[in-house]
């Protein structure tokens, strides 16, 4: 039986990946420091074992496939704590990649669209220059590069804006923030004019993508998004409609360092036989009861 270790396995994205792979019959172990874990219950419900390990200090359990999803993810925080971001995201990836290579394991590195920085053209394909605009984006890019240096059995999944059940707490994206306010009957707060666009991908579609790469042993760099650009203003309208929120959207100053537009070109991921299955409105509706 194929053994899979998912680092950050008790986190938002990692826990969805771990549970999905376990349901497909892989022997999955989640590895997590529990520093910022939000997906602990999901693992428990699905019976996925958890190894408590901080990869900055501890070793990785043995496995045939390593999904490396452990990372700090907050762009703003990365300006305050650049050293911690480079250590936790980039340096730890060096350790994970070296151990994976020594064991002949397939490494799937969960990277980010943040490696591209301000787009030079849209949609963004995998050949787009990588010029990150934040220490966070740089830490993910250096992670990619050191992994490429250390192992050939590597898949790099550059995730666009991921949302879904279990994203919570201070380190969550715009959809979770809008929904948290909607649940209190409050309209969204938009930073800037709301004309900025993002490509929102449901976390279960991300988990399905990872499963395809595991199953096919597919290596290389892949964008993981939907290919659909949605403005933040449109997102606010949809959330207000679904949650039947009265009143008007509030506007606040633009967030420093934000990119304006982001949308993925996804034909490479398509070529593996994967495609996103959850439309944004459906994905949002599913979050109402949670
Ligand atoms: C997100 C991820 C990052 C990932 C990247 C990939 C989070 C916290 N960050 O960054 O890890 O690598 O996508 O593309 O998930 N906004 C509002 N109101 C709010 C919150 C946000 O208007 O209450 C706006 C922001 O100013 C921004 C847009 O919504 O323009 C998206 O913001 P956010 O969800 O934080 O994601 P990214 O910065 O794109």
């Amino acid at each position: 039986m194929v053994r899979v270790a998912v680092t950050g396995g008790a986190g938002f994205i990692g826990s969805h990946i771990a549970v999905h792979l376990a349901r497909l019959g892989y022997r999955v172990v989640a590895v997590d420091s529990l520093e910022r874990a939000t997906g602990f219950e999901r693992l428990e419900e699905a019976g996925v074992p958890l190894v408590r390990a901080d990869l900055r200090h501890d070793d990785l359990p043995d496995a045939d496939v390593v999904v490396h999803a452990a990372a700090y993810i907050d762009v703003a925080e990365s300006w305050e704590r650049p050293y911690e971001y480079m250590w936790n995201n980039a340096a730890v990836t060096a350790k994970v990649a070296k151990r994976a290579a020594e064991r002949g394991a397939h490494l799937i590195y969960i990277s980010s669209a943040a490696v591209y920085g301000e787009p030079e053209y849209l949609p963004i394909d995998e050949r787009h220059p990588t010029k990150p605009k934040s220490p966070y984006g740089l830490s993910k890019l250096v992670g990619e590069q050191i992994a490429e240096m250390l192992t050939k059995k590597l898949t790099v999944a550059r995730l666009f804006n991921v949302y879904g059940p279990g994203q919570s707490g201070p380190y969550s994206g715009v959809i979770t923030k809008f929904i948290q306010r909607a649940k209190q009957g409050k309209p969204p707060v938009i930073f800037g004019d709301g004309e900025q666009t993002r490509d929102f991908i449901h976390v279960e579609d991300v988990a399905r993508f990872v499963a395809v790469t595991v199953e096919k042993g597919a290596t290389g760099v892949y964008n993981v998004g939907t290919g659909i650009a949605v403005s933040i203003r449109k997102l606010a309208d949809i959330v207000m409609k679904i949650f039947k929120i009265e009143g008007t959207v509030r506007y606040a100053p633009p967030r420093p360092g934000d990119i304006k537009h982001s949308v993925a070109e996804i034909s490479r991921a398509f070529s593996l036989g994967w495609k996103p299955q959850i439309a944004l409105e459906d994905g949002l509706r599913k979050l109402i009861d949670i």
Side-chain angles (χ1 to χ4, degrees):
M1 206 197 263
V2 179
R3 297 162 308 157
V4 184
V6 181
T7 75
F12 164 53
I13 296 175
S15 63
H16 279 276
I17 293 171
V19 168
H20 186 68
L21 292 176
R23 292 201 171 125
L24 291 175
Y26 293 99
R27 206 164 94 203
V28 180
V29 58
V31 184
D32 205 291
S33 67
L34 298 183
E35 188 187 337
R36 292 181 177 183
T38 57
F40 187 70
E41 281 173 18
R42 184 168 309 103
L43 292 178
E44 247 183 4
E45 274 165 26
V48 176
L50 171 71
V51 171
R52 186 171 181 175
D54 184 332
L55 296 169
R56 287 166 292 202
H57 311 288
D58 306 323
D59 195 11
L60 193 68
D62 198 8
D64 307 302
V65 176
V66 176
V67 181
H68 183 36
Y72 288 150
I73 61 144
D74 192 81
V75 173
E77 186 191 44
S78 75
W79 289 100
E80 303 305 317
R81 305 180 65 200
Y83 170 72
E84 286 81 357
Y85 270 69
M86 293 306 285
W87 186 24
N88 198 38
N89 295 358
V92 165
T93 300
K95 180 175 183 176
V96 170
K98 183 151 191 300
R99 292 301 277 143
E102 283 165 0
R103 291 157 174 179
H106 176 191
L107 174 62
I108 298 160
Y109 176 61
I110 304 300
S111 187
S112 163
V115 300
Y116 294 118
E118 198 65 58
E120 291 176 12
Y121 56 85
L122 294 167
I124 303 167
D125 60 23
E126 291 86 351
R127 284 183 206 88
H128 187 285
T130 47
K131 292 183 193 157
K133 267 185 92 178
S134 65
Y136 165 70
L138 181 65
S139 72
K140 295 302 290 186
L141 180 61
V142 175
E144 287 189 6
Q145 292 171 338
I146 190 68
E148 270 160 24
M149 246 174 227
L150 296 171
T151 177
K152 288 199 170 52
K153 269 200 210 169
L154 174 68
T155 310
V156 172
R158 291 181 176 156
L159 310 188
F160 281 66
N161 287 60
V162 186
Y163 73 100
Q167 195 184 45
S168 62
Y171 309 104
S172 54
V174 62
I175 288 185
T176 300
K177 299 243 166 81
F178 282 5
I179 288 179
Q180 278 166 353
R181 283 182 63 86
K183 285 185 174 167
Q184 302 164 359
K186 294 179 187 160
V189 179
I190 293 181
F191 303 145
D193 61 10
E195 293 301 317
Q196 68 269 43
T197 54
R198 292 292 186 275
D199 182 336
F200 296 104
I201 176 101
H202 195 278
V203 67
E204 286 168 15
D205 280 327
V206 172
R208 273 190 280 272
F209 174 80
V210 172
V212 168
T213 66
V214 174
E215 193 189 322
K216 304 202 164 180
T219 54
V221 180
Y222 297 88
N223 283 341
V224 183
T226 63
I228 302 167
V230 177
S231 75
I232 300 303
R233 192 181 295 189
K234 167 108 184 285
L235 175 71
D237 286 345
I238 301 173
V239 170
M240 287 179 72
K241 190 182 81 186
I242 293 176
F243 285 83
K244 300 188 173 66
I245 300 297
E246 308 279 326
T248 48
V249 167
R250 273 183 40 205
Y251 287 90
R255 210 169 56 179
D258 254 7
I259 56 168
K260 186 77 184 169
H261 297 295
S262 174
V263 62
E265 206 284 329
I266 49 172
S267 51
R268 212 183 265 184
F270 267 31
S271 71
L272 295 178
W274 168 87
K275 66 173 198 286
Q277 291 175 12
I278 304 176
L280 181 59
E281 278 221 33
D282 298 334
L284 291 172
R285 278 182 206 286
K286 283 213 253 173
L287 294 174
I288 292 183
D289 307 319
I290 298 171

